[in-house]
Amino acid sequence: GKDSFLALRQWIALKRREDKIEWEEILDRIILLTSFDGTTKRIAHQDTTIDDARRQAKALGLSLLAVPLHPGKEYVKSIDEALDFVRTQQGAETFSLVFGDLRLEVVKDWRDNYLGHLGRLEYPLFGVDYDELFHDLQLSGVPCTITSCEFGKDLHERACEEVYVGREFDAELREACVECGWDDFGEDGEFHTVARVW
């Protein structure tokens, strides 16, 4: 979604600025990772398919590590096995796992506690002002479309009629969310998006 796309942009900018790594070298090091339901081929919460993720990776010129999840197998074990595959194939010993979390400490704490042993966890968007993030999204020129919003109705007493599947994430949507008492980036799970990088 938009947050992962923005995290990718921020992380690349940080590496170029702080580590003085050239653009091409950075792109060679990046592997997108997503998990998906091994039966339905759908990506949880985003309510998109693994084919959408493949299409994004292709458009960005990046590799994709798609991790199927199956009943009875632990999520963390599935991710660990997938990263072991990358270690074996590419000889990489260490990883940075980059997440698009914005402000939810409980989610960040879970990742730190359960995924911290898998590599260096990075949160380039955590605590960044939403207006700054929205400006960066506008600069990218990449439209983001709502793909799921069923949880928003359960999270808040007041419905937000402006939030619906197929709606583009824009300034008007953010304003409507604020008026409804919703998080205007959907960080509480009100809605999820797909970044249409193709």
Side-chain angles (χ1 to χ4, degrees), residues 110-180:
W110 185 90
R111 293 190 201 283
D112 289 344
N113 290 331
Y114 290 95
L115 302 177
H117 68 282
L118 300 178
R120 178 179 171 194
L121 307 189
E122 298 187 48
Y123 305 90
L125 306 183
F126 206 82
V128 176
D129 182 77
Y130 282 5
D131 289 338
E132 183 180 330
L133 295 177
F134 186 69
H135 179 70
D136 188 42
L137 186 60
Q138 288 179 309
L139 286 176
S140 77
V142 172
C144 296
T145 305
I146 295 176
T147 56
S148 171
C149 58
E150 73 273 9
F151 298 115
K153 298 173 183 99
D154 298 332
L155 289 169
H156 301 284
E157 292 178 17
R158 184 173 173 195
C160 193
E161 300 301 323
E162 294 298 316
V163 177
Y164 53 86
V165 172
R167 168 75 193 260
E168 190 166 319
F169 179 75
D170 57 19
E172 291 78 23
L173 177 67
R174 289 184 66 203
E175 287 177 26
C177 286
V178 170
E179 287 174 14
C180 294

